[in-house]
Amino acid sequence: MPFRIFDVGGVKVAVVGATNPEAPELVNPGNFGTIEVTDPAQAANRARKRARQMGAQIVVAIVHLGATGFDETGNPIGPVVDFANQVHGFDVIFGDHTDVQFSRVINKQLVLENRSRGLTYARTLLTLDPENGKVLNSSVEFVTPLASQVAPDPAIVSLLTPFRQELARRLDGVVGVASDLFPRGPGFERERETALGNLITDAFRLRYQTQLGFTVGGGIRASLPSGYTPVDTTLRRLTPGYAPGPPFDLVIGDAFTILPFINEVVTRTVTGAQLHAMLENGVSRINPDGSGTEGRFPQISGFRFTFTASQPPGSRVLSVALADGTPILPDATVYTLATIDFVNNGGDGYTMLVDGQGVTRELESDVLLEHIRSQGIVSPRLEGRITRAP
């Protein structure tokens, strides 16, 4: 059944779930097996109707769809707003996926999204008239949870202690120093060149001596240094309770926090035509107004490109060149490339690479670690690798 009905204080509450239609592209290709993701709005409307027939007094939707920004009047825009405008009869729609916080009434439905990764949560209150089952009012309070306000449970602390000790043994080793912060998000690495994207793709390219390095912004999940918390509080870190920086001490746990998906680096060749198609896919979801934070946006090494969002998707890449200025044309010229298996297998829409090529190498996190070790000190740099034209 596409929903569940729960008894909450004598009130029947139906919860309908809907996933992102692009979900099969956001995980390693093939992981969905025979599961087919259909139109979420149509499916949700059917589920809501059936839930009401079964006696649900409150119907809420939890959807893996989020806002991508705000228009000139301050109203949210994005897939969760489109979803809300296409469904009806829901009391609350909880969005997610894009790390954008908002609450609005859309199409007579309360719609909200809070910050990702536990940065905030939404305390949502509905008041129901028990006589007729109608919602009288609703409210949302966004709460920032603070560890300092929670008393640790001794039993849980004891349970976790051996695991934390083992993680510290494996991940606390110092591997280098960052002269300054390599920032990340929200949306940062999904719409422009970033210093961290440059560092990661340089690590790929230099490790395997390819001409080009390539990854997707959506795979970068933390800044450098990250929020990983080593036992040694004398280390210079961003997290409160450690010695201040910059510079910052970098540990093994940083690489696995930044790149947590266990992707492996793949080396292969691509033609100029394939590279242009990759870049067109990478910038295809950027909106002309600057909004749009799709994980497919490229982070690159060994070359540079210029694009515009004012043209239709598929016609946005204006120029591509190697780092020395040699043009890369959309032709049959062959270049060597280091990327991740997720991209090489067609994830995030990179189907132009699904041609049977690719030699699997090492975990991307291990490649990043070795690069930091070899450099000793790494410094955030933007080099004009990606240029957005009007």
Side-chain angles (χ1 to χ4, degrees), residues 318-334:
L318 303 179
S319 65
V320 188
L322 291 171
D324 64 6
T326 302
I328 298 177
L329 302 177
D331 59 19
T333 305
V334 174

Side-chain angles (χ1 to χ4, degrees), residues 276 279-280 283 304-312 314-321 327-330 386-390:
H276 274 255
L279 297 174
E280 288 286 4
V283 301
R304 59 179 184 257
F305 76 96
T306 299
F307 78 98
T308 178
S310 63
Q311 295 299 314
S315 305
R316 293 181 163 184
V317 175
L318 303 179
S319 65
V320 188
I328 298 177
L329 302 177
I386 301 174
T387 301
R388 177 171 174 171

Side-chain angles (χ1 to χ4, degrees), residues 205-223:
R205 181 177 60 83
L206 294 172
R207 177 71 167 173
Y208 304 109
Q209 293 298 296
T210 57
Q211 292 169 284
L212 316 174
F214 189 100
T215 194
V216 286
I220 302 172
R221 310 301 280 193
S223 61

Side-chain angles (χ1 to χ4, degrees), residues 266-269 344 355-360:
V266 169
T267 55
R268 55 165 296 150
T269 61
N344 196 57
D355 56 9
Q357 280 203 60
V359 176
T360 302

Side-chain angles (χ1 to χ4, degrees), residues 189 196-198 200-201 204 213-220 259 263 278 295-301 303 337-340 342-343 348 350 364:
E189 63 288 331
L196 188 50
N198 290 352
I200 293 167
T201 52
F204 295 174
F214 189 100
T215 194
V216 286
I220 302 172
L259 303 173
N263 290 316
M278 290 168 63
R296 69 185 62 202
F297 190 85
Q299 297 293 320
I300 63 172
S301 175
F303 68 106
L337 170 73
T339 187
I340 55 175
F342 171 74
V343 170
D348 268 344
Y350 286 93
E364 61 175 344

Side-chain angles (χ1 to χ4, degrees), residues 142-205:
F142 291 106
V143 181
T144 300
L146 299 174
S148 61
Q149 297 178 358
V150 178
D153 184 324
I156 300 299
V157 172
S158 177
L159 176 68
L160 294 177
T161 294
F163 297 101
R164 286 175 168 162
Q165 290 172 340
E166 179 63 16
L167 285 174
R169 186 184 70 81
R170 292 172 179 259
L171 302 179
D172 279 16
V174 176
V175 295
V177 171
S179 65
D180 207 339
L181 172 67
F182 287 74
R184 181 259 173 189
F188 200 53
E189 63 288 331
R190 300 174 179 228
E191 59 186 28
R192 70 190 80 167
E193 174 191 355
T194 67
L196 188 50
N198 290 352
L199 182 73
I200 293 167
T201 52
D202 282 350
F204 295 174
R205 181 177 60 83

